[in-house]
Every structure is written in structure tokens, then in C-alpha cells.
């Protein structure tokens, strides 16, 4: 049961050759393996924009003054809002929001400019369609910023003196992703998702196919040996995984301008235990599934918590505790910390060693369990 | 041709009291072999000797333990009890050694549909350790003798049953195995292809390969030099086709077979 001896024995290489010939010939799997990374990258990189921009805004300006126009402009200048039209009365505002033409409405009462001129606090109303909490949250905070900015400008004008610094000035500096683009957060995660996908779905169905066709039985009666058999079956997918990772990194760099702050060799090295752990899951699935369809279903069942609970799309700190526990038993959760850490923060072994240890633990545990089960099922 | 003790003379009815001989240089020697799946006993107290260079048929109705026996002899199943020595090696203690000297072909063929004929042969030849010129020469030889030369670049998945069967035989014999195990190799193959297949089998036997074959077809049973009948996991008769028919007092092997099947069904 020594993998290195198996690599040196002759039986491993024909297995490798056969796998690559089959891979080249299986157009569907080949397409899946090359198109999925590109497709996922475009899909998640472009479509999933958690940063909210261009919320459609309608304005009901009953004040019709220079002051009210300045307030509306201040909102538009935040870039979060995009003015889509004017409303003549409250009923029209309601109608526009209900119909979906607008998500937010600014209502400026008739006495707005008069109260400002008299030095009184002026009120205006911002109505937000809060059905989508993410969009409305962004709209709310942007509107508050705009109102503060207007308030400060009015105060300065009133005092007719030099600008007075505010008593407290909390300056926010978004590190690692200063423009706060979601692509920078998502794209490194795409690599983790793709590797999980390849190592579980494609690997498990490739093994189950050998069992279905009777070729696995045929191989067992040859002198190939179980270790060579498994390595020959699994190593090609490690190669595929690294190729996919490289493709996503390249596209991410070229299309989404993803920073690569850490050392790439470190990243490729740290990825290895994650790949081995995911292969273990794939091998485990292949020992449970009776058909290729079952292997697919089981793998998808495994993919779902990976997508939702690993921190790939949604921050884990915001999840209820049980969801966090489930996330904590997924190798992807730790790999995401590794890949984001290396790419976005330029981290290395010195900081990421706890994640590395956990991933190695996952890899060792899953390989031991799945290899034992696999050996049993081919008896 | 060397022969084991029970091969000559009167019909050798297996006597559980008689000590089974493990002497001589039989290709396969089985003593007290037993396999149990949970509560079900698939094979019980099997003693068997297959002489070298013979075509030896393993016969019996479905569920009689033929396939289980062959799988134990190939190292695909671990026996629950007893010993089996294949090509001079113990199947439990030295499975690797056994695998190097045997070929195995099941009714599922074990071919890669998405590899070509030549690629299938190449893969199995390499798995059996053939390299370089030796491998190339052997593949060419097999493509010629099996008549597969014109189809060398055809995908195995697009071959008809008969051609698949020939290719599977080629894959199982690329390393010149001492013993060839065939588990219902002609299931679902047309009569012409079956005849060609059996001609190949007999040629292999003439060249010194021992062939152990399970079959349902009685004409195929008649082509074997010796037969062993299994019934409900027990060996109930062994000998040449003539001896077996005489032993059971039936005119043909087919009658023996039907008689046994009725007996099994009555016992259930």
C-alpha cells in the first residue's frame, strides 16, 4: 500500500495513458471540464454583483427649488441611484414602485427650501422597496451619506466661514478590495468550486463507469495492483484540476483584473491537500453509488452545502450556528481562506498554516476511509 | 500431456470420503473450497483438479456456484474456507502471482468502448507488463490471429458481439497465460462467432494453455475434454462428456443438465 512504489511499478503508466486517451475522446466530459470553469467564471464574475449600483429612483419634487434639486443630485452622485423619472403625486410614486419601474423614491415636501432658508431643520423622505434587503440596504446607507453631505454643505454655507472639520471623522479604508468589487471576492472562490466539482462529480462517475462496464473487475484480475489502479484513475484528475485552476486564474487576471499578491507556487502547493481531500470524497461517492446517475446525484448533493455554506457566496459569520458547523466540516471552507488569502492578501505558509493543517487532516482522513471502502467494494 | 489421478479409468464420481489428491502438476487444484454470502452457502466442499492443457468445462444450472467458483479461482472473491492452488500458487496467499499467470474473460468482456481495438489490446498488454517491441509484436500477432487487423482503429463500442468477444479474448491472453478462465464467454453471440471462438480456444489448448470455461450451451459442453457438474454449490460429477452421461444414465449431456435442473427445482 505504498503509493510511491506503485508509481514506480510499470502498471501505473498504462493506466495513466488510457485515462488521457479516454478523456480526449469523451467530448462531453472534456467540454464539461473546460467549459465549466470558463462558464462559471463569467457567470459568477459578471452576473453575481453583490455591490449594488443604479437603483432606479423616482423623484417627487414638491419644493421645486434649487435646494431640492441639489438634494436629488447628491443622491445620484453616490452612483447607487439612477434617476428614472419624476412623479407628480404620491399616488404615482406608489404606482411606479409597485410596478417595479422604480425601487426608490425621493419625496421633497413643498416647504423644504423655505425651512432651509429660515435655518430650520428640513425634512425629505426616501421610500425604498425593501423586498430585496441587499439592494435596499445599500440604498439606505447611500442616501444617508448623501443627506450628510448636503447637510454639511448647507451648514458651511450658513456659517459663511472657512469649512469646519466635523468633530468625529471615521475614515473607512477598504483593504484588499478597495473598489469593493464582488468579482474579486467571487473569482478565487470559483477555483475552489470548480475543483470540488471535478474531483467529486467527474471522478466518481468515471470510477462508477468502470464498475458498470465490468472493466474494473477485469482490471482486478490483472497484476496491476489496487494502489496502481487507484492512482492511475485519480492522478489524471489532479492534472485536470490544476489545468482548470490555471485557466480560471488566467481569465480572472485578464478579464476581472484579479490581483495575485501572493506567490503562485505557494498557492499550487497549498491547493494539493484540498485536491486530495476532494478526490477522497469522489472515491467515497463511487463506493456508495450503484450507477453513474446516482454518482451524479450524490455529488450534487455534496456540492450544494459547498456552494451555500462554505463562504463562497455568503459570509459565514452571518449564518446561524448550525450552518457554520456544517461549513466547518467542508474542505472548501478552509481552501477558500487559503486561496483568498494568497491571491488577495499575499499571505503564505506563515499565516495559513492552520488551514493547511486542517486540509491535510481532511485529506488523510478521507483518503483512508475511501480507499478502505473502495478496496472492500472491489472484492 | 500430464494427467492427474482422477483423469483415467472409470467415471470418477466425487466421493466426499475419499482423500482428494493434491499431487501431480495439475493447473488448478481445489480442496474443500467453500464460499458463504451471509446465510447463503454458494459453494460447499468443492474438490476439483484441472489437468494442464485441457479444455475443462464447468457446468450447472443458474445459481449452482459456477461463477462463484471461477471468481474465487481468479482472486476476485476470497474463499470462506478451503484452499485453491492455481498455476502452482495459492489464491489467498499469493494472489499477485496467480494474476500474473492467468487470463480472465467474463460475459461482460471488460472492454473500453471508447478505446479502439488496437488501444484495448495495447492497454491490457501493458498492464500485463509487455513493453516496447515485445508489446508491438504481440499486438500485431493478435490482430492477425484474431482477424481483427482491418478493425484495429475501430472503437470497441461499435463492434458487434462476436467481434467484441474476440477482442476480449485477445485482451485476456496478451501475456500468454498458463490458465484461461472463461465465464460464459459466448452468451449472446451468434453461432458462427461461437464456432470460431471455440476453434480459437482449442488452438490455445493445443499450445499448452489450460482453459476453464463455464457455459450454458450443451454443444459447447460437448467440445470440452472434461466436465464438472455443479449443483446447488456442490460438485456432483466429473469426467469426460461420455463418462458424465454414463454416470447419470442419460443419453446426452443436455439430458444430464435438465435432470439436474429438475432435481434442484424440486429441492427448493
Amino acid at each position: 500500500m505504498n503509493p510511491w512504489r506503485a508509481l514506480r511499478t510499470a502498471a501505473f503508466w498504462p493506466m495513466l495513458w488510457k485515462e488521457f486517451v479516454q478523456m480526449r475522446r469523451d467530448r462531453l466530459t472534456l467540454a464539461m471540464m473546460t467549459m465549466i470553469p470558463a462558464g462559471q467564471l463569467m457567470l459568477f464574475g459578471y452576473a453575481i454583483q453583490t455591490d449594488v449600483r443604479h437603483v432606479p429612483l423616482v423623484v417627487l419634487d414638491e419644493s421645486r427649488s434649487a435646494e431640492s434639486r441639489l438634494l436629488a443630485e447628491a443622491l445620484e452622485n453616490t452612483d447607487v441611484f439612477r434617476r428614472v423619472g419624476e412623479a407628480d403625486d404620491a399616488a404615482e410614486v406608489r404606482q411606479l414602485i409597485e410596478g417595479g419601474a422604480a425601487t426608490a423614491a425621493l419625496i421633497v415636501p413643498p416647504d423644504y427650501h423655505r425651512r432651509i432658508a429660515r435655518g430650520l431643520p428640513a425634512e425629505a423622505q426616501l421610500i425604498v422597496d425593501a423586498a430585496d434587503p441587499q439592494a435596499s440596504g445599500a440604498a439606505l446607507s447611500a442616501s444617508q451619506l448623501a443627506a450628510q453631505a448636503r447637510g454639511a454643505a448647507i451648514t458651511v454655507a450658513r456659517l459663511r466661514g472657512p469649512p469646519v472639520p466635523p468633530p468625529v471623522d471615521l475614515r473607512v479604508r477598504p483593504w484588499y478590495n478597495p473598489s469593493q468589487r464582488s468579482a474579486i471576492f467571487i473569482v478565487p472562490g470559483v477555483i475552489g468550486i470548480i475543483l470540488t466539482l471535478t474531483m467529486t462529480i467527474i471522478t466518481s462517475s468515471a470510477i462508477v463507469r468502470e464498475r458498470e462496464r465490468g472493466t474494473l473487475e477485469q482490471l482486478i484480475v490483472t497484476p496491476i495492483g489496487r494502489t496502481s489502479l487507484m492512482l492511475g484513475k485519480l492522478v489524471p484528475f489532479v492534472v485536470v484540476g490544476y489545468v482548470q485552476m490555471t485557466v480560471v486564474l488566467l481569465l480572472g487576471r485578464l478579464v476581472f483584473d484579479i490581483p495575485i499578491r501572493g506567490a503562485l507556487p505557494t498557492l499550487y502547493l497549498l491547493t494539493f491537500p484540498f485536491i486530495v481531500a476532494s478526490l477522497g470524497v469522489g472515491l467515497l461517492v463511487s463506493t456508495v453509488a450503484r450507477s453513474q446517475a446516482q454518482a451524479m446525484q450524490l455529488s450534487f448533493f455534496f456540492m450544494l452545502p459547498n456552494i451555500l455554506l462554505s463562504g463562497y457566496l455568503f459570509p459565514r459569520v452571518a449564518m446561524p450556528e448550525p450552518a457554520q458547523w456544517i461549513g466547518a466540516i467542508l474542505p472548501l471552507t478552509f481552501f477558500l481562506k487559503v486561496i483568498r488569502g494568497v491571491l488577495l492578501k499575499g499571505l503564505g505558509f506563515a499565516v495559513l498554516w492552520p488551514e493547511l493543517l486542517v486540509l491535510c487532516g481532511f485529506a488523510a482522513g478521507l483518503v483512508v476511509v475511501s480507499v478502505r471502502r473502495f478496496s472492500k467494494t472491489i472484492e | 500431456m500430464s494427467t492427474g489421478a482422477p483423469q483415467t479409468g472409470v467415471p470418477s464420481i466425487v466421493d466426499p470420503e475419499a482423500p482428494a489428491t493434491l499431487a501431480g502438476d495439475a493447473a488448478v487444484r481445489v480442496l474443500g473450497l467453500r464460499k458463504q454470502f451471509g446465510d447463503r452457502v454458494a459453494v460447499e466442499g468443492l474438490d476439483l483438479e484441472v489437468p494442464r492443457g485441457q479444455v475443462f468445462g464447468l457446468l450447472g444450472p443458474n445459481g449452482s456456484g459456477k461463477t462463484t467458483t471461477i471468481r474465487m479461482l481468479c482472486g476476485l472473491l476470497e474463499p470462506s474456507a478451503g484452499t485453491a492452488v492455481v498455476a502452482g500458487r495459492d489464491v489467498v496467499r499469493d494472489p499477485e502471482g496467480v494474476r500474473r499467470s492467468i487470463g480472465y474473460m467474463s460475459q461482460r468482456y471488460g472492454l473500453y468502448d471508447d478505446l479502439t481495438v488496437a488501444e484495448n489490446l495495447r492497454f491490457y498488454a501493458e498492464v500485463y507488463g509487455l513493453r516496447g517491441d515485445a508489446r508491438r509484436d504481440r499486438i500485431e500477432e493478435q490482430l492477425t490471429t484474431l482477424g481483427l487487423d482491418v478493425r484495429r482503429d475501430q472503437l470497441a463500442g461499435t463492434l458487434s458481439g462476436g467481434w467484441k468477444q474476440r477482442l476480449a479474448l485477445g485482451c485476456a491472453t496478451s501475456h500468454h497465460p498458463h490458465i484461461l478462465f472463461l465465464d460464459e464467454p459466448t452468451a449472446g453471440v451468434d453461432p458462427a462467432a461461437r464456432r470460431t471462438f471455440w476453434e480459437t480456444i482449442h488452438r490455445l489448448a493445443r499450445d499448452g494453455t489450460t482453459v476453464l470455461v463455464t457455459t450454458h450451451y450443451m454443444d459447447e459442453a460437448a467440445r470440452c475434454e472434461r466436465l464438472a457438474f455443479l449443483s446447488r454449490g456442490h460438485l456432483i460429477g466429473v469426467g469426460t462428456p461420455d463418462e458424465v452421461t454414463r454416470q447419470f444414465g442419460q443419453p446426452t449431456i443436455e439430458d444430464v443438465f435438465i435432470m439436474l435442473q429438475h432435481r434442484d427445482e424440486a429441492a427448493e
Side-chain angles (χ1 to χ4, degrees):
Chain A
M1 204 52 231
N2 181 349
W4 301 118
R5 212 200 66 185
L7 274 179
R8 271 187 279 117
T9 57
F12 165 78
W13 298 102
M15 207 50 207
L16 206 64
W17 169 79
K18 182 213 76 163
E19 287 301 321
F20 281 115
V21 172
Q22 284 187 300
M23 237 178 239
R24 204 186 59 211
R25 213 155 275 161
D26 185 355
R27 290 290 147 96
L28 188 69
T29 306
L30 198 66
M32 254 173 83
M33 287 188 301
T34 48
M35 296 312 289
I36 284 179
Q40 288 254 322
L41 188 68
M42 293 302 157
L43 197 72
F44 286 114
Y46 274 125
I48 299 191
Q49 298 281 358
T50 49
D51 36 340
V52 178
R53 293 229 166 109
H54 311 305
V55 172
L57 171 79
V58 65
V59 178
L60 168 55
D61 185 359
E62 293 174 319
S63 158
R64 297 185 187 280
S65 60
E67 280 298 341
S68 62
R69 277 190 294 276
L70 281 171
L71 180 64
E73 267 168 37
L75 279 181
E76 278 188 277
N77 287 344
T78 59
D79 237 21
V80 171
F81 295 100
R82 177 173 50 100
R83 196 158 167 170
V84 291
E86 317 291 322
D88 290 329
D89 51 32
E92 196 184 346
V93 166
R94 174 170 286 275
Q95 202 187 335
L96 284 168
I97 289 184
E98 275 177 359
T103 308
L106 173 69
I107 299 172
V108 189
D111 60 348
Y112 177 78
H113 61 284
R114 283 195 295 272
R115 288 180 71 91
I116 287 176
R118 270 187 247 140
L120 295 169
E123 281 178 9
Q125 202 178 19
L126 187 85
I127 294 168
V128 177
D129 171 3
D132 176 353
Q134 208 156 34
S136 61
L140 287 175
S141 57
S143 64
Q144 269 154 15
L145 279 177
Q148 271 171 23
R150 267 320 292 152
I154 291 166
T155 312
V156 167
R158 232 176 244 160
L159 294 172
R160 290 196 182 82
V164 184
V168 177
D169 184 8
L170 181 64
R171 306 233 167 151
V172 179
R173 291 274 178 280
W175 277 14
Y176 307 124
N177 187 0
S179 51
Q180 296 196 279
R181 290 187 300 128
S182 50
I184 287 190
F185 180 69
I186 296 285
V187 171
V190 169
I191 294 177
I193 285 288
I194 297 220
L195 288 177
T196 314
L197 203 74
T198 304
M199 300 307 146
T200 55
I201 297 188
I202 298 181
T203 308
S204 65
S205 44
I207 297 171
V208 171
R209 186 173 57 190
E210 292 245 6
R211 190 169 323 119
E212 274 184 327
R213 301 263 171 91
T215 47
L216 190 62
E217 182 185 274
Q218 192 67 45
L219 284 176
I220 296 161
V221 295
T222 69
I224 191 168
R226 267 144 228 229
T227 314
S228 296
L229 175 61
M230 265 183 279
L231 280 179
K233 200 73 204 159
L234 299 183
V235 166
F237 292 100
V238 177
V239 177
V240 169
Y242 273 121
V243 170
Q244 289 178 321
M245 175 170 163
T246 309
V247 167
V248 175
L249 275 177
L250 265 173
L251 281 178
R253 184 98 195 94
L254 295 176
V255 181
F256 295 103
D257 202 23
I258 301 303
I260 300 178
R261 299 207 172 92
L264 280 178
T266 309
L267 180 62
Y268 278 70
L269 210 65
L270 284 168
T271 304
F272 190 69
F274 173 65
I275 286 184
V276 173
S278 306
L279 276 175
V281 175
L283 194 60
L284 202 61
V285 167
S286 80
T287 64
V288 180
R290 301 226 164 271
S291 64
Q292 285 187 71
Q294 271 188 10
M296 283 271 185
Q297 284 169 348
L298 274 171
S299 307
F300 273 116
F301 184 71
F302 174 71
M303 282 309 294
L304 214 59
N306 270 294
I307 291 173
L308 296 177
L309 304 181
S310 64
Y312 167 52
L313 293 176
F314 314 111
R316 287 185 69 230
V317 285
M319 295 175 193
E321 273 198 7
Q324 290 194 28
W325 297 333
I326 297 174
I329 55 166
L330 298 172
L332 182 61
T333 304
F334 299 88
F335 179 66
L336 287 178
K337 284 187 195 162
V338 167
I339 191 158
R340 283 180 183 143
V342 175
L343 289 179
L344 308 184
K345 304 183 188 172
L347 301 180
F349 289 102
V351 179
L352 293 171
W353 65 266
E355 279 76 21
L356 177 65
L357 269 186
V358 174
L359 283 174
C360 286
F362 273 124
L366 281 162
V367 162
V368 165
V369 172
S370 59
V371 165
R372 192 171 293 167
R373 263 200 71 99
F374 181 75
S375 295
K376 233 187 227 169
T377 53
I378 61 179
E379 285 276 282
Chain B
M1 192 194 299
S2 57
T3 53
Q7 204 197 344
T8 48
V10 289
S12 55
I13 299 160
V14 175
D15 177 5
E17 303 299 311
T21 50
L22 282 185
D25 66 341
V28 176
R29 277 174 289 156
V30 172
L31 193 59
L33 200 63
R34 174 190 165 87
K35 181 68 193 180
Q36 198 167 351
F37 299 104
D39 284 341
R40 198 173 67 82
V41 179
V43 173
E44 172 105 271
L46 185 71
D47 299 330
L48 193 66
E49 201 157 312
V50 179
R52 226 172 259 272
Q54 280 202 353
V55 180
F56 192 101
L58 207 53
L59 269 64
N62 281 327
S64 58
K66 302 186 301 274
T67 297
T68 306
T69 303
I70 251 187
R71 291 172 67 90
M72 280 192 282
L73 297 181
C74 293
L76 280 167
L77 276 176
E78 204 166 316
S80 308
T83 54
V85 177
V86 172
R89 294 162 199 276
D90 188 293
V91 291
V92 178
R93 267 175 283 162
D94 185 12
E96 289 273 316
V98 169
R99 287 184 195 126
R100 261 191 293 276
S101 31
I102 64 166
Y104 170 77
M105 177 183 155
S106 75
Q107 51 187 321
R108 293 206 285 170
Y109 295 154
L111 297 173
Y112 290 97
D113 286 349
D114 45 0
L115 296 188
T116 66
V117 167
E119 283 166 350
N120 267 290
L121 285 170
R122 174 182 167 175
F123 172 62
Y124 281 110
E126 287 191 356
V127 163
Y128 279 110
L130 269 71
R131 290 290 185 279
D133 286 344
R135 186 200 76 211
R136 260 188 295 280
D137 294 348
R138 178 64 179 146
I139 292 172
E140 291 309 319
E141 185 190 339
Q142 284 194 303
L143 285 169
T144 315
T145 53
L146 295 167
L148 283 162
D149 204 18
V150 287
R151 294 167 196 268
R152 61 187 306 150
D153 293 324
Q154 195 176 331
L155 290 182
T158 64
L159 293 173
S160 69
W163 289 106
K164 272 190 187 167
Q165 181 201 44
R166 276 198 218 187
L167 177 57
L169 185 66
C171 290
T173 55
S174 57
H175 56 306
H176 296 288
H178 296 309
I179 307 168
L180 182 59
F181 292 94
L182 305 169
D183 190 11
E184 307 207 352
T186 56
V189 168
D190 64 73
R194 271 169 59 200
R195 176 169 296 174
T196 326
F197 184 78
W198 274 90
E199 281 161 10
T200 314
I201 295 298
H202 279 283
R203 198 182 61 230
L204 284 169
R206 270 198 307 279
D207 294 344
T209 309
T210 309
V211 181
L212 198 127
V213 56
T214 70
T215 180
H216 272 321
Y217 296 108
M218 292 309 119
D219 58 322
E220 291 187 356
R223 286 170 174 269
C224 296
E225 284 157 89
R226 285 176 76 77
L227 296 174
F229 265 97
L230 286 176
S231 169
R232 298 163 60 79
H234 293 266
L235 182 69
I236 55 169
V238 65
T240 64
D242 281 347
E243 288 167 353
V244 171
T245 45
R246 245 183 296 144
Q247 176 198 332
F248 290 99
Q250 298 288 336
T252 66
I253 298 169
E254 189 161 9
D255 292 303
V256 176
F257 197 92
I258 291 168
M259 186 200 88
L260 286 176
Q261 196 159 8
H262 286 325
R263 212 172 70 179
D264 282 3
E265 282 163 8
E268 264 163 24

